[in-house]
Amino acid sequence: MFNRKFLLICVAFAGIAALVSGSPHGDGDGEVPPPAFGGLGAPRTLSGAELENAHATLKASLDRLAAGEGPSYRVSKILSASVQVVAGSLNSYIVELIEPNGITKVCEVRIWSRHWLPNGIEVTFNCPNEPQVIKSHNAPPRI
């Protein structure tokens, strides 16, 4: 009886190890999984309707910050965007931002949304040759 249980446990672990270390398709080629496969909590590149929603999220955060203590930026163009499920969600962007004086710069912007916390939206700006800026604001009211 003990040998059967031990054998079953070994087979289960071997199957899990094969899934984790090899190709998700089981063909052993080690090819990177398609973006939709991902792992739990892995960043996922956005496109289509999801990218449009991410653009709206970015614009809403920039508007809320500009209405308060700033910084004041507008979106010129999103070069890339991804989302990751963490304690909340983390949207990461490489984006062209327009400053109030009309100068455009490319920055990394991260929006960490934790709607259940006061000031639970944390926006981080990483722009070349500038110090990192981290600002927080409340989540928009739920309708």
Side-chain angles (χ1 to χ4, degrees), residues 54-68 70-71 73 93 109-113 121-123 125 135-140:
H55 184 273
T57 298
L58 176 59
K59 184 180 180 320
S61 277
L62 293 178
D63 290 348
R64 286 182 82 82
L65 292 175
Y73 294 122
Y93 306 85
V109 179
R110 293 178 170 239
I111 301 175
W112 184 14
S113 300
I121 310 296
E122 182 180 281
V123 185
F125 298 91
K135 297 287 185 168
S136 296
H137 65 81
N138 285 321

Side-chain angles (χ1 to χ4, degrees), residues 25-36:
H25 308 292
D27 53 12
D29 66 3
E31 182 180 308
V32 176

Side-chain angles (χ1 to χ4, degrees), residues 3-141:
N3 287 338
R4 286 185 198 166
K5 288 181 183 178
F6 181 74
L7 181 60
L8 182 61
I9 292 171
C10 289
V11 169
F13 280 124
I16 291 170
L19 285 174
V20 171
S21 65
S23 167
H25 308 292
D27 53 12
D29 66 3
E31 182 180 308
V32 176
F37 181 77
L40 183 60
R44 185 170 41 82
T45 302
L46 301 177
S47 62
E50 287 182 316
L51 182 57
E52 290 176 25
N53 289 338
H55 184 273
T57 298
L58 176 59
K59 184 180 180 320
S61 277
L62 293 178
D63 290 348
R64 286 182 82 82
L65 292 175
E69 297 177 9
S72 295
Y73 294 122
R74 289 180 295 128
V75 177
S76 169
K77 183 179 184 181
I78 294 178
L79 304 174
S80 68
S82 64
V83 66
Q84 181 175 6
V85 176
V86 290
S89 64
L90 178 64
N91 284 20
S92 299
Y93 306 85
I94 302 298
V95 63
E96 288 181 4
L97 295 174
I98 303 171
E99 296 181 344
N101 60 8
I103 294 176
T104 301
K105 59 184 176 181
V106 176
C107 300
E108 176 190 22
V109 179
R110 293 178 170 239
I111 301 175
W112 184 14
S113 300
R114 296 171 293 171
H115 294 280
W116 62 92
L117 294 175
N119 282 328
I121 310 296
E122 182 180 281
V123 185
T124 304
F125 298 91
N126 287 308
C127 301
N129 304 318
E130 295 181 13
Q132 182 182 63
V133 175
I134 301 174
K135 297 287 185 168
S136 296
H137 65 81
N138 285 321

